Amino acid sequence: MIKVVGAVFVRGQTVFSAQRPDGKALGGYWEFPGGKIEEGEAPEEALARELVEELECEAIVGEKIVSTEYEYEFGTVELTTFYCTLKEKEPTLLEHQDAKWIPVESLQDLEWAPADIPAVDMIRRDLISD
């Protein structure tokens, strides 16, 4: 079991999404940025650390959205996503090949990594008012 965390940054009616680099596992898929939880780390601590390492940005980790499991060829991933708020600096791509702020209504138009899809559905449900 590979335990990972992902950040969901919301700005108005847009959500930050990042594209995994070609040539790496799940290359080309979109995801909520984050990474692996290290031994002894709380999920929130891991997420704050990973955001500094991968995006050179600091964030306030907020409410948990969902935890999901997905079995890939390389192993089973347990992804826990959290709503996050950027402290100051905009994300700088160090690990991803692309990123964008996408309207909530268009989230389903991206090709998401399978483990991220349940979070996408919950975010849409949370943020799109009827």
Side-chain angles (χ1 to χ4, degrees):
M1 178 74 67
I2 305 165
K3 294 185 180 231
V4 298
V5 285
V8 178
F9 294 111
V10 178
R11 181 180 289 155
Q13 284 294 300
T14 63
V15 176
F16 186 80
S17 55
Q19 189 177 36
R20 295 186 57 81
D22 290 332
K24 289 207 171 186
L26 303 172
Y29 281 98
W30 291 85
E31 68 177 359
F32 298 112
K36 292 180 186 171
I37 301 172
E38 293 180 359
E39 186 71 33
E41 253 183 339
E44 296 87 347
E45 292 171 328
L47 186 53
R49 175 187 52 75
E50 286 284 349
L51 292 172
V52 170
E53 290 175 6
E54 288 192 3
L55 297 173
E56 292 187 333
C57 67
E58 292 186 18
I60 299 165
V61 179
E63 178 186 348
K64 176 182 167 182
I65 300 170
V66 67
S67 289
T68 60
E69 286 184 19
Y70 191 85
E71 191 172 332
Y72 293 101
E73 288 179 5
F74 56 83
T76 301
V77 169
E78 179 186 77
L79 168 65
T80 302
T81 48
F82 295 87
Y83 284 116
C84 294
T85 305
L86 286 170
K87 283 190 178 179
E88 293 177 12
K89 189 176 167 222
E90 286 292 307
T92 300
L93 298 185
L94 300 176
E95 301 283 330
H96 296 88
Q97 69 182 15
D98 196 7
K100 57 181 146 185
W101 290 92
I102 185 160
V104 175
E105 305 83 28
S106 301
L107 283 175
Q108 76 284 356
D109 296 343
L110 295 180
E111 189 173 2
W112 289 94
D116 289 83
I117 293 172
V120 169
D121 294 340
M122 292 198 73
I123 295 159
R124 286 175 46 85
R125 198 168 26 241
D126 286 351
L127 300 179
I128 296 176
S129 45
D130 294 315

